Amino acid sequence: MLTGLGLTRDADRVYRAMLAQPQLDVAGLAAALDLAAIQVGDALDLLSELSLVRTSEGVPGIRAVSPDLGLEILLARQSADLAAQQQRLEASRATAAQLISEYADLRPTEASPGVEHLIGIDRIRSRIARLTNEISTEVMAFSPDGAQTAENMEAARPLDLRVLERGVMMRTIYLDSLRNNPPTVDYANWLAAHGGQVRTTATLPTRMIIADRAVAIMPVTSDNTAAGAVVLTGSGTVTALVALFETVWAAARPLSTAPIRDSHGLTPQEAATLALLAQGHTDDSVAKRLGVSPRSARRTATDLLERLGARSRFQAGVRAVQEGLLPGDL
C-alpha cells in the first residue's frame, strides 16, 4: 500500500490498475475496481495533485506516471516535509526551553509536583554530587558528548569510584565516536575494571542520569546542557525514561565489541548519518549528534553520497529509502 506516501486506498488501487491496464478509462477503472465513477474521479484528482498521473500530448485521456519517477517525486516531497517538520520541532524545543527557564526565574518558589528546576552550571553540579551520594542500588546514564575532556574525566573518577565501591550497579551509554579517542576509552575501561558497565551506540537522544529508578536529571535543552536542568521524580515520567534507557541499552554494544555492519554494509554511525541527512540535518548538527567533528561528518556524508550515486543529500535520502537503507516512513 502507498498510503504512507499520501495516497488514499482508492487512489492506490486506481494507480496500480492504470499501471497494469493503461488502456482503461474512468468507466473501465470503475468497473474493474468495483468503484463508483465519482470515487475514481476523486482518486484521479489526488493522483494528479501528487504528479502520479498526467495527460500526454496527442494521446487522449490520462496516463499513469512510471513508479520510478512518480514515487521518487513523492519521496522527495516527503523528505522536504520532514526536513521542515524537523526545523519546526527544533524551534519548538528552543521556545519551550526558554519558557521553562524564564518561568523558573520569575517564580522560583512555586514548584511543580515531581519537577525541580536547576539554573546554572554550579547548581547542576551541586545537585548531581548530592544525588551521587544518595544513590543506593543503581545508576543509568546517557553520555552523548563524544570524547570527554581530561578535566571532566578526572573530576568524575572519585565520584564514580565512591558509587561503585558501595556496590551500586552503574551502566553508562556513550557514543560510538568515543572509540576513536584513547583517553576516553581508557576512562571507560577504568569504569569497567571497577565494576561499571559501558556500551556505545551511534546516537543518543539527550544527556541523562537516572538514580535508583526514582530520580532523573536531564538538561532543559541539549544545545546548552550547562544552562539549565530539571530533576524529575514523578513515577510515571521516570518509569518512561527507564524504559527508554533499557531500550537503548539493549541495542547498544559493549565497548569490547566492534560495531557490526548491517546487511547494506553500513556501520551504525554511517546508518545514523544517513538517517540524519534524510531528516534535513546540517553537517554541524550531524557532528553534534554523533559526537564527531564537522569535518568527519562532512567526510562521511560525502562518502555516503558517492556510494548511493546521489548528487545531493536530498537525493541521497530518496535513494536510501528506495534501496531499503532507510524506512519509507522516516
Side-chain angles (χ1 to χ4, degrees):
M1 294 289 288
L2 299 176
T3 52
L5 294 177
L7 276 69
T8 62
R9 184 172 181 276
D10 286 347
D12 185 319
R13 295 179 63 205
V14 168
Y15 180 60
R16 293 174 187 271
M18 293 177 72
L19 290 171
Q21 304 179 69
Q23 76 280 3
L24 293 179
D25 57 11
V26 172
L29 288 168
L33 299 173
D34 194 23
L35 294 173
I38 190 171
Q39 290 176 290
V40 174
D42 290 341
L44 289 172
D45 287 342
L46 178 57
L47 291 170
S48 179
E49 290 176 12
L50 297 175
S51 301
L52 289 177
V53 296
R54 65 185 179 189
T55 57
S56 298
E57 187 175 350
V59 180
I62 300 176
R63 296 289 179 268
V65 174
S66 62
D68 57 342
L69 175 60
L71 296 186
E72 182 167 356
I73 292 173
L74 279 187
L75 288 168
R77 286 181 176 176
Q78 204 170 57
S79 227
D81 290 342
L82 284 170
Q85 185 177 2
Q86 181 67 31
Q87 290 178 342
R88 291 194 296 270
L89 178 59
E90 294 298 335
S92 296
R93 280 179 178 163
T95 302
Q98 182 180 3
L99 182 60
I100 291 172
S101 178
E102 290 175 356
Y103 182 82
D105 288 340
L106 290 171
R107 306 180 69 178
T109 60
E110 183 174 326
S112 301
V115 180
E116 175 188 350
H117 297 284
L118 304 174
I119 305 300
I121 188 62
D122 290 337
R123 286 193 62 193
I124 295 172
R125 286 176 174 169
S126 175
R127 187 66 176 87
I128 290 176
R130 182 154 58 93
L131 181 66
T132 300
N133 290 329
E134 296 170 352
I135 295 171
S136 60
T137 58
E138 182 181 14
V139 59
M140 313 171 186
F142 284 161
S143 185
D145 297 332
Q148 306 293 298
T149 66
E151 179 184 7
N152 284 346
M153 288 186 285
E154 285 306 310
R157 281 178 193 265
L159 294 175
D160 291 338
L161 190 58
R162 283 204 300 270
V163 171
L164 290 167
E165 287 178 341
R166 295 203 305 267
V168 172
M169 182 171 71
M170 178 182 290
R171 289 187 288 168
T172 307
I173 306 177
Y174 291 97
L175 294 177
D176 284 340
S177 57
L178 82 79
R179 294 169 179 266
N180 301 319
N181 182 264
T184 310
V185 171
D186 289 343
Y187 173 71
N189 286 330
W190 175 86
L191 275 178
H194 287 80
Q197 299 179 53
V198 175
R199 293 188 179 184
T200 71
T201 189
T203 61
L204 286 168
T206 184
R207 173 173 287 280
M208 178 174 71
I209 300 172
I210 304 176
D212 295 332
R213 298 180 177 247
V215 182
I217 296 183
M218 301 173 62
V220 172
T221 171
S222 57
D223 292 332
N224 184 5
T225 57
V230 289
V231 182
L232 307 171
T233 54
S235 59
T237 302
V238 176
T239 298
L241 293 175
V242 168
L244 171 64
F245 179 90
E246 294 289 7
T247 299
V248 177
W249 179 263
R253 291 160 300 284
L255 190 59
S256 58
T257 304
I260 300 173
R261 292 183 180 272
D262 63 17
S263 59
H264 302 287
L266 299 177
T267 66
Q269 197 172 75
E270 288 171 338
T273 298
L274 190 56
L276 292 169
L277 291 176
Q279 292 167 10
H281 287 272
T282 63
D283 287 334
D284 287 344
S285 178
V286 171
K288 184 171 184 179
R289 296 292 184 98
L290 300 182
V292 300
S293 68
R295 182 179 179 181
S296 294
R298 281 193 296 273
R299 185 167 57 247
T300 301
T302 300
D303 180 60
L304 288 169
L305 260 65
E306 290 177 353
R307 290 163 68 175
L308 289 165
R311 293 186 299 274
S312 68
R313 298 175 183 212
F314 184 71
Q315 188 181 44
V318 172
R319 293 196 174 177
V321 172
Q322 291 175 332
E323 295 180 17
L325 277 70
L326 294 175
D329 58 351
L330 181 69

